[in-house]
Amino acid sequence: METTFRHAERGDEALILEFIKALADYEHLADEVSATEELLEEWIFDKGKAEVLFVLADGEEAGFALFFHNFSTFLGKAGIYLEDLFVKPEFRGCGLGKALLKELGRIANERGCGRLEWSCLDWNQPSIDFYLAMGAEPMDDWTVYR
């Protein structure tokens, strides 16, 4: 299987929303999705507030990562915050999630970012195991507030 990447372009809003809804369904949060294609176009493409990277398997979009820059005052530089990472179930176990995370790390390094970070639901043991296997370190001293 040939693995490639592409950044989302204007016109990909329906595909992005499809991935968002699939992730929300997996996380048992489908009823919380209020995003629309119009909102995604506005915030991702018009305002440039987030980016989307697709991983392709033999030319088919098999997974996505939605991310944006944050800033660390302690490091004095920007970082990348990974909001969503999702691989379609039929493509899992093929190394696409690992490839996508590595590509995000490459992008962070290329941009001179100080870190790449994300959150994971406490019950999502398959994802936790995946992140730990990739060398990620949980930030046990921090609690997310909203």
Side-chain angles (χ1 to χ4, degrees):
M1 172 179 6
E2 181 186 7
T3 302
T4 56
F5 302 95
R6 78 170 181 88
H7 289 270
E9 302 171 348
R10 193 176 296 275
D12 283 328
E13 296 84 4
L15 181 59
I16 296 167
L17 188 56
E18 178 185 319
F19 274 106
I20 291 169
K21 288 179 176 181
L23 172 62
D25 188 53
Y26 172 78
E27 293 180 337
H28 313 292
L29 298 169
D31 59 331
E32 294 190 25
V33 176
S34 61
T36 64
E37 291 178 33
E38 294 77 20
L39 283 170
L40 295 174
E41 180 179 21
E42 176 185 356
W43 287 93
I44 295 172
F45 299 109
D46 295 342
K47 295 181 178 183
K49 298 299 182 182
E51 299 176 59
V52 174
L53 182 66
F54 294 111
V55 61
L56 289 79
D58 294 330
E60 178 183 348
E61 286 85 358
F64 92 128
L66 187 144
F67 62 98
F68 53 87
H69 285 278
N70 57 13
F71 191 83
S72 168
T73 54
F74 288 9
L75 295 176
K77 19 169 117 172
I80 286 180
Y81 185 81
L82 172 60
E83 179 68 21
D84 291 334
L85 185 140
F86 183 78
V87 174
K88 292 178 180 177
E90 61 268 29
F91 291 101
R92 292 186 190 149
C94 301
L96 297 178
K98 184 176 185 178
L100 196 50
L101 201 53
K102 282 185 172 186
E103 180 66 8
L104 285 172
R106 188 197 66 73
I107 290 169
N109 283 332
E110 180 180 88
R111 295 180 183 183
C113 293
R115 59 187 174 206
L116 169 61
E117 58 189 0
W118 59 92
S119 299
C120 183
L121 291 167
D122 290 338
W123 62 260
N124 193 349
Q125 199 60 50
S127 293
I128 292 168
D129 293 343
F130 167 73
Y131 295 136
L132 291 174
M134 291 286 297
E137 298 178 19
M139 304 296 293
D140 294 330
D141 297 340
W142 295 88
T143 301
V144 176
Y145 291 91
R146 182 174 297 166

